[in-house]
Amino acid sequence: MLILGIETSCDETAAAVVSDKKEILSNVVLSQTAEHLPYGGVVPEIAARAHIDHIDAVVTKALADAKVTLPELDAIAATGGPGLIGGVIVGVMTGKAIASVHNKPFIAVNHLEGHALTARLTSEVDFPFLLLLVSGGHCQFLVVEGVGKYRKLGGTIDDALGEAFDKTAKMLGLSYPGGPAVEQLAKKGNESAYSFTVPLKGRAGCDFSFSGLKTAVRTQIINIGEITDKHRADICASFQHAVGESVCDRTRHAIETFKQSHQSASFVLAGGVAANQYLRGRLEKVLSEYDMRLIAPPMALCTDNAAMIAWAGIERFRLGQTDGLDFEPRARWPLSQAS
């Protein structure tokens, strides 16, 4: 089985061909970083126009790299949401057009489900498993009981973790995208230099909160006045340390809740922030306390890509789940509604 995946939910135009044998035959990702760099963040209108400009070439290259023609495909999968609606529309309409012309089934994939199921593409992971999905727009714990079967244990009550990283970087005058910049500079800093309050530490439940931490960073920068490179490194290290403390505390709560009804030892970390090696290391120590194993996709598959969309399409296609060409792109699409 071969499925073409298309991903255009934010600022990467991507296409990939994946087989049901877990072979990634191609995975083309065209980043729009240069277009958004002058603005310090993603501009939705610019992103949508860039997707229109590049989607045909990206799909053509994905097919060429995979040495596959459109008639050889079994189905077309495209991100149907959530995401920046202009970009989602571009991907969905492209997927529908290919499916219609070549008489192929169309599968609208929830972008978050793509992240959630990537671990099953790259590792041997059975259902159920506990998932921590962390990205620029999402931050939540989910019990994944099967394809389309997700139970949310908790999520952020304000900012997503990736957003907190990006805004901290912007306040410090670091390059875009901010997450990797903060992580790299933190390696040079002293994590004990500033004592940022750890959000929600010790509180019941599995929710997150990062708005207060972001505000604390801003207040510290204002109090310092003239920021030096050392200040930046120390703030990044202290911020990341507080994030790590919060994530570990929340993870313990989520594991204890999960283990009340499941015996699985699999903990999956997914989403763009899953590429952060500091957080991976902190989580591995916590998981060892509960005899659980950390499973995370390779770094290239943590950030937005089309291989994860193609794989989620395969998972759904196996179950006979396809969508009509009247599917409407969605800016919002909670994973709990992806059944």
Side-chain angles (χ1 to χ4, degrees), residues 82-133:
L84 301 178
I85 192 60
V88 175
I89 289 172
V90 173
V92 167
M93 296 307 294
T94 300
K96 285 182 180 180
I98 295 172
S100 178
V101 170
H102 294 276
N103 195 29
K104 303 292 182 182
F106 173 72
I107 306 162
V109 173
N110 183 300
H111 177 81
L112 303 182
E113 184 166 52
H115 281 302
L117 299 178
T118 301
R120 285 172 51 82
L121 167 62
T122 58
S123 304
E124 295 300 321
V125 185
D126 295 326
F127 297 121
F129 57 83
L130 179 59
L131 169 69
L132 172 55
L133 178 57

Side-chain angles (χ1 to χ4, degrees), residues 42-64:
V42 178
V43 181
E45 179 66 18
I46 292 175
R49 290 179 180 274
H51 288 311
I52 293 172
D53 290 341
H54 300 299
I55 188 65
D56 288 347
V58 168
V59 169
T60 298
K61 180 169 174 50
L63 293 169

Side-chain angles (χ1 to χ4, degrees), residues 54-258:
H54 300 299
I55 188 65
D56 288 347
V58 168
V59 169
T60 298
K61 180 169 174 50
L63 293 169
D65 288 354
K67 296 181 173 57
V68 169
T69 62
L70 288 170
E72 293 176 288
L73 296 170
D74 292 283
I76 313 298
T79 297
L84 301 178
I85 192 60
V88 175
I89 289 172
V90 173
V92 167
M93 296 307 294
T94 300
K96 285 182 180 180
I98 295 172
S100 178
V101 170
H102 294 276
N103 195 29
K104 303 292 182 182
F106 173 72
I107 306 162
V109 173
N110 183 300
H111 177 81
L112 303 182
E113 184 166 52
H115 281 302
L117 299 178
T118 301
R120 285 172 51 82
L121 167 62
T122 58
S123 304
E124 295 300 321
V125 185
D126 295 326
F127 297 121
F129 57 83
L130 179 59
L131 169 69
L132 172 55
L133 178 57
V134 277
S135 66
H138 304 276
C139 188
Q140 53 192 298
F141 285 110
L142 297 139
V143 177
V144 182
E145 297 176 331
V147 177
K149 298 178 181 178
Y150 305 95
R151 180 163 59 91
K152 185 176 177 181
L153 299 182
T156 181
I157 59 177
D158 41 58
D159 296 342
L161 182 50
E163 179 185 356
F165 267 97
D166 287 342
K167 289 187 175 178
T168 293
K170 190 170 185 178
M171 287 187 286
L172 290 170
L174 303 181
S175 62
Y176 169 82
V182 170
E183 181 183 6
Q184 289 304 311
L185 197 53
K187 294 176 182 178
K188 303 177 182 178
N190 174 11
E191 65 180 27
S192 300
Y194 304 102
S195 181
F196 295 128
T197 300
V198 178
L200 301 185
K201 186 172 183 179
R203 296 193 189 182
C206 305
D207 286 335
F208 292 97
S209 173
F210 297 106
S211 179
L213 178 57
K214 184 183 65 180
T215 301
V217 170
R218 181 175 181 273
T219 300
Q220 188 64 62
I221 292 171
I222 292 172
N223 289 341
I224 292 172
E226 182 135 4
I227 298 289
T228 65
D229 288 343
K230 185 178 187 309
H231 287 135
R232 289 188 179 89
D234 287 346
I235 289 173
C236 285
S238 299
F239 164 79
Q240 188 169 252
H241 174 72
V243 165
E245 289 289 302
S246 178
V247 170
C248 288
D249 178 75
R250 303 288 86 197
T251 296
R252 288 187 175 91
H253 285 261
I255 290 173
E256 288 165 7
T257 302
F258 175 72

